[in-house]
Amino acid sequence: MYYLMDLTWSMRDDKATLESMGSQLAVALANLTANYRLGYGSFADKPAVPFIQSEPHRLQNPCYSENDQCEPTYGFRHRLKITRDIDSFIAQVKESNVTGNVDNLEGGLDALMQVLVCEKQIGWGLNTRKIVIVATDGWLHMAGDGLLAGIVEENDKQCHLDEEGNFVDVLKYDYPSLEQIWRVMLRSKTAVIFAVTEAQEAYYRRLSELMPEFTSVGRLQDDSSNIIQLVDDGYREFIKRVEFTDNSPDYLQVRYTTDCGGLYSEPQPINRCDNIEIGKEYNFNVELKLLDYPKDPSVTVSYKGCISYDFYFSIIL
């Protein structure tokens, strides 16, 4: 699991809570899976006007107006590679400082894209269940917003972290779109839990409805003191869900049916089952119908099962 935290000024209490609850988080993960690992990173926003203020003293200290000291604004910083060492996790949380920006929209999608695509740097293992917790009390900048800062190049969905874990091309590429994020989540089979405050909950639930296969939303208390419960609930929700998708071409119609382990008396034309029971067998039937004869008679179709299964086969016509 990777804990991706909004470290803008308004989240300072949440950071303090995470410091104190780090060991409890490890215990909670250990109760969910014997092979738990934990990583950590933080985000703010693109360090460019109009997302930040341009006066030299405010560039050095974005919290000047709050009569406090914080570090200059940055886009995303990967702070801890996924590990079982909970002491390192707690230490990195303590060492990370809050920063600031101007508006209530943050660069969370910039950060999430890097967490998803920088597999080696983040430390994602092969054939493991991947979950990202995005903890924030702000909304999200999306594709097109970079134009406000003169950033017009489309997000390239590539890794741009330096050796220190900094997103070095944060001012080169625009924020990613939801469609780009969804495609990368589909490819990497990564689930995302948005842990957000009550004021932003409705906003994130609308986003989650656009990506229901891979996202869920939990309400954070003002100081994040219920984060352990949100992690537990979110993890259990994802492991109790099975969904199949495919990349079949237009001339090949794919139809799924299943009774979801006896939930329905007859197989239904659906590709997803919820509330599955661990250890129980679930059968999915896949029916292929050729709608047109392709130019290439050899077709490879991949089937992806959310979140842990891939199936590939070739069809020779």
Side-chain angles (χ1 to χ4, degrees):
M1 189 189 81
Y2 194 88
Y3 199 98
L4 179 58
M5 189 172 191
D6 173 357
L7 276 188
T8 52
W9 171 256
S10 57
M11 290 287 286
R12 62 194 183 282
D13 292 341
D14 304 77
K15 172 184 172 293
T17 300
L18 186 59
E19 290 179 22
S20 64
M21 300 183 69
S23 58
Q24 297 177 50
L25 181 59
V27 171
L29 290 173
N31 289 333
L32 293 170
T33 173
N35 190 32
Y36 79 89
R37 294 186 302 158
L38 193 59
Y40 174 63
S42 60
F43 67 91
D45 205 352
K46 293 185 182 297
V49 176
F51 311 128
I52 62 172
Q53 294 178 316
S54 59
E55 297 94 328
H57 64 285
R58 296 184 189 276
L59 290 175
Q60 291 300 314
N61 179 21
C63 302
Y64 180 85
S65 299
E66 305 294 339
N67 296 315
D68 203 348
Q69 183 71 36
C70 63
E71 65 177 293
T73 306
Y74 57 88
F76 166 61
R77 187 165 295 157
H78 168 50
R79 298 178 180 272
L80 179 67
K81 191 172 184 177
I82 291 176
T83 177
R84 291 183 64 90
D85 185 355
I86 191 61
D87 290 334
S88 294
F89 176 82
I90 296 173
Q92 284 298 321
V93 174
K94 288 182 177 179
E95 291 176 10
S96 58
N97 296 316
V98 296
T99 182
N101 62 338
V102 174
D103 58 2
N104 196 35
L105 282 80
E106 323 294 8
L109 291 187
D110 259 349
L112 180 57
M113 179 63 78
Q114 293 302 296
V115 172
L116 294 173
V117 301
C118 298
E119 296 189 1
K120 181 179 179 180
Q121 292 87 337
I122 299 299
W124 293 120
L126 296 175
N127 301 317
T128 58
R129 194 178 302 276
K130 304 172 186 176
I131 296 179
V132 181
I133 307 291
V134 180
T136 181
D137 65 351
W139 298 322
L140 296 171
H141 278 297
M142 298 185 188
D145 288 351
L147 183 62
L148 297 172
I151 302 171
V152 298
E153 190 165 346
E154 181 182 6
N155 193 284
D156 67 349
K157 298 182 290 184
Q158 300 298 315
C159 182
H160 298 284
L161 298 183
D162 64 14
E163 293 182 357
E164 302 299 321
N166 295 301
F167 179 20
V168 293
D169 287 323
V170 64
L171 297 181
K172 179 178 180 180
Y173 297 103
D174 192 9
Y175 302 97
S177 66
L178 286 181
E179 186 268 345
Q180 288 177 313
I181 291 290
W182 179 84
R183 289 192 179 278
V184 175
M185 285 194 295
L186 177 64
R187 185 184 67 209
S188 62
K189 293 174 291 182
T190 304
V192 175
I193 302 172
F194 291 109
V196 300
T197 52
E198 181 178 3
Q200 275 69 41
E201 184 178 4
Y203 169 84
Y204 280 92
R205 290 202 180 279
R206 289 194 296 271
L207 292 186
S208 182
E209 289 172 0
L210 300 174
M211 304 178 288
E213 312 96 321
F214 303 104
T215 62
S216 69
V217 178
R219 182 190 297 181
L220 271 178
Q221 294 180 2
D222 290 340
D223 61 353
S224 291
S225 58
N226 66 328
I227 187 62
I228 304 297
Q229 188 61 49
L230 292 187
V231 170
D232 186 277
D233 292 344
Y235 185 91
R236 293 183 186 279
E237 178 179 345
F238 283 117
I239 65 174
K240 293 173 64 177
R241 176 192 306 171
V242 172
E243 180 169 8
F244 287 89
T245 58
D246 60 78
N247 68 342
S248 56
D250 293 339
Y251 53 79
L252 188 64
Q253 182 183 82
V254 181
R255 181 174 180 267
Y256 302 89
T257 58
T258 179
D259 64 356
C260 287
L263 178 63
Y264 305 103
S265 58
E266 296 182 357
Q268 301 295 307
I270 55 178
N271 65 332
R272 169 174 168 169
C273 295
D274 294 315
N275 298 316
I276 66 171
E277 300 175 26
I278 304 301
K280 185 175 180 179
E281 184 175 298
Y282 292 78
N283 295 314
F284 283 79
N285 302 309
V286 182
E287 178 182 303
L288 305 178
K289 182 178 181 181
L290 187 64
L291 302 178
D292 193 10
Y293 196 85
K295 295 180 180 179
D296 181 3
S298 178
V299 181
T300 298
V301 180
S302 67
Y303 289 82
K304 291 185 178 291
C306 178
I307 295 176
S308 303
Y309 312 98
D310 281 356
F311 300 91
Y312 301 89
F313 63 86
S314 296
I315 305 172
I316 307 299
L317 302 174

